[in-house]
Structures are given as structure tokens and as C-alpha cells.
Amino acid sequence: MRLLAALLTLAVPATASVAVLAADTAPHPPYWNSIRAGEARMRTGPGRQYPASWVYRRADLPVRVVAEHREWRKVEDPDGTQGWMQTNLLSGARTALIRGAEPVTMLERPVTGARLLFRAAPGVVGRISACGNGWCRLDVKGRAGFVQVGSLWGVEAAETLP
């Protein structure tokens, strides 16, 4: 692969070689995104000619990208519903949703027994800034704390984020 990239760099303008290398490092499904737009349509197929099956009115809602087709991504929402969205409606910003039936404790440090900062209700969405050892730092509208990964939808159980 390095030899191919080196040959392409010699054969095409510098700006084109950057595009080739960037595409090579792009994530492959499945991976996590979030909804960028305040209103986003999920469609039954990868094109505007397909009918909308859902309209999301919740920016930052985490979605799992499970397939790609040109500028379309097949995504799965927290309820398990799957459909297609245009890439311009999605963001690489990592977010997570509090799942379960009870509020989740947000702690000062990523250890059981750390000082309680606040509780987040099921369905609350926040931005993830770091994850490791079964904990994630979640920022909910400027209030941040650590929560166990098992209480979140939007991050893999063993995932580590800087």
C-alpha cells in the first residue's frame, strides 16, 4: 500500500495525493457518528428519490454507521432503526446517549466510589471527550463527569478514546 501511495504521489499533483491518502485512512463501517443537523431525514435507500422513513429533530444524537454508498451512510439509531442519511447531515463528533431506565451517576473521577457530581436521566445526550478502562468522560451542556461505558449508547465497551 505504501508503494502504491508513493507511486500515486509521483504521478499526480500534490493535492490529489493527499485525497488518496486521506481516503485510505478513513474509518470503515461500523463506526460512530452523530447527527449534525437540527432536522435530518432517514431514508429507505441511498438517494433523495427514496422516501423518508424518519425525521430526526435532535442534533448530536449518536448513530452507528453500518454501510456506505457514495455520499450516503446507512445508520442505526439508539432504538435499532436503520436507514440512509446523507453525509452532510452527519458529524464525526463523538456523542453518547444515557440508556437504561434509571438516572446514571456522573462522577468526578473514573472510579467506583468517586464523588458524585450529578445524575443524568435516560435519553440525555452528551459529548464524549475521553474513554478508557470502562469509563467515559461525558459533557452534558457544559457539565462533565465520568460514567461507566455500560450505561452509554454511542461507544464500544472496550473502546479507548484520547
Side-chain angles (χ1 to χ4, degrees):
M1 185 54 93
R2 289 183 188 163
L3 178 59
L4 177 60
L7 290 173
L8 288 173
T9 302
L10 294 174
V12 295
T15 55
S17 66
V18 171
V20 169
L21 294 176
D24 190 40
T25 60
H28 299 288
Y31 59 89
W32 297 97
N33 269 174
S34 55
I35 295 177
R36 173 190 319 260
E39 182 174 296
R41 285 179 172 70
M42 176 185 279
R43 297 188 177 273
T44 59
R48 287 184 181 231
Q49 72 273 22
Y50 292 94
S53 53
W54 288 98
V55 177
Y56 293 86
R57 291 187 172 93
R58 190 167 187 190
D60 286 340
L61 183 72
V63 292
R64 182 192 321 258
V65 176
V66 296
E68 299 175 333
H69 180 73
R70 297 185 185 148
E71 72 276 4
W72 293 86
R73 301 295 177 262
K74 187 174 187 180
V75 299
E76 179 180 358
D77 73 12
D79 293 326
T81 302
Q82 290 189 1
W84 293 88
M85 286 188 178
Q86 283 186 295
T87 56
N88 64 338
L89 300 174
L90 301 173
S91 167
R94 291 299 299 271
T95 63
L97 176 131
I98 303 292
R99 63 181 181 180
E102 299 293 324
V104 171
T105 56
M106 304 289 289
L107 304 176
E108 183 177 47
R109 295 180 297 123
V111 293
T112 303
R115 184 169 75 92
L116 171 68
L117 297 176
F118 63 98
R119 296 181 195 279
V124 165
V125 173
R127 293 203 175 222
I128 300 171
S129 58
C131 291
N133 298 321
W135 294 86
C136 286
R137 185 172 188 276
L138 189 69
D139 184 311
V140 179
K141 296 186 179 181
R143 296 182 71 189
F146 288 90
V147 64
Q148 292 183 317
V149 172
S151 299
L152 299 174
W153 194 88
V155 63
E156 301 299 326
E159 191 171 359
T160 301
L161 297 171

